[in-house]
Amino acid sequence: MSQASPLITFCNWFSQLVVMNLCWMLMVVLGAGVFGVIPATSTLLLMLRRYMNKDNKTGFIDFFGEWRKELVVSNIVGLPVVLIMFSLGWYLNWALGSDIELLQLLSLAILPLLAFLLMLLSASILQGSIYRASAKQRFSLALSLLRSHPGLPFTLLLVSALCVLVGLLSPIVFLLFGLTPAALLVMAWYIHKFPDLKKSK
């Protein structure tokens, strides 16, 4: 059977998605969850881009090495955003439970800010998988991506939410795939929008 066979190609992709998802989950655990999920997601996107560019540096050792490089800078960028979102979300929940109708109405103004912060976090993760930049530069890159292609971070959020929903219904499926379908879809779209990424590692 030829290596170019669609069945062989499908099996290679299928197995690679499972391996990368298991690596992602392990990196999340190694980062104690809170500190591991952002760099693990950024590294997952990087590994998928490498695999799509036919780069063989996509094994566990390579995943772990790139995750270590991302661990500090990704958290410097992402955790303050998460903390602000958590604080605003807590205040929103408190205000909506209040007996003061005016306070409930005014608290709804927080929703657009929460949506923006969520998009900013998603964009920073995307850009972190492409550019090895400082925390300050990543904020600038994330804002630039939001201005030019807001659909990219939105798609990452949307498909990730669907993957989590599937995971709640079927933990086995989440164990095998988790966020890899979302990462694959967004990275394929990213490369389509920016063809030069096909040439880069």
Side-chain angles (χ1 to χ4, degrees):
M1 185 177 291
S2 172
Q3 285 294 320
S5 165
L7 179 59
I8 295 294
T9 301
F10 172 79
C11 290
N12 286 339
W13 271 102
F14 187 87
S15 61
Q16 191 67 28
L17 289 179
V18 172
V19 169
M20 287 189 184
N21 188 68
L22 292 174
C23 288
W24 175 81
M25 295 187 75
L26 181 58
M27 296 306 109
V28 171
V29 172
L30 288 177
V34 174
F35 301 104
V37 66
I38 297 175
T41 304
S42 181
T43 304
L44 174 62
L45 288 162
L46 170 63
M47 291 293 112
L48 277 170
R49 181 166 65 93
R50 281 184 176 178
Y51 190 72
M52 294 170 76
N53 288 340
K54 296 180 172 55
D55 190 335
N56 59 3
K57 296 180 180 179
T58 55
F60 171 77
I61 300 300
D62 304 299
F63 200 109
F64 179 70
E66 294 296 339
W67 176 81
R68 285 182 59 192
K69 295 176 186 176
E70 277 291 290
L71 185 59
V72 175
V73 67
S74 286
N75 282 314
I76 289 175
V77 175
L79 286 184
V81 178
V82 172
L83 183 59
I84 294 171
M85 288 174 57
F86 177 80
S87 301
L88 290 174
W90 179 87
Y91 175 77
L92 178 63
N93 182 64
W94 171 80
L96 290 175
S98 171
D99 294 331
I100 305 173
E101 292 185 6
L102 181 60
L103 182 60
Q104 294 177 351
L105 186 62
L106 291 175
S107 67
L108 295 178
I110 295 175
L111 290 175
L113 180 56
L114 281 172
F116 170 75
L117 289 172
L118 196 57
M119 290 282 286
L120 180 64
L121 178 63
S122 179
S124 70
I125 291 173
L126 269 170
Q127 294 291 61
S129 71
I130 304 297
Y131 305 103
R132 292 306 189 202
S134 67
K136 183 178 179 181
Q137 290 172 325
R138 288 193 187 192
F139 273 118
S140 177
L141 288 168
L143 289 171
S144 175
L145 182 62
L146 285 178
R147 285 194 301 267
S148 60
H149 296 86
L152 283 168
F154 178 76
T155 302
L156 178 59
L157 289 172
L158 179 62
V159 184
S160 297
L162 292 175
C163 290
V164 171
L165 180 61
V166 171
L168 293 174
L169 299 174
S170 178
I172 297 299
V173 173
F174 188 78
L175 177 66
L176 294 176
F177 293 101
L179 297 181
T180 48
L184 177 62
L185 174 63
V186 174
M187 191 48 60
W189 189 12
Y190 205 128
I191 290 176
H192 174 71
K193 292 287 186 181
F194 303 97
D196 288 343
L197 292 177
K198 294 179 181 178
K199 305 173 185 177
S200 61
K201 299 294 184 181

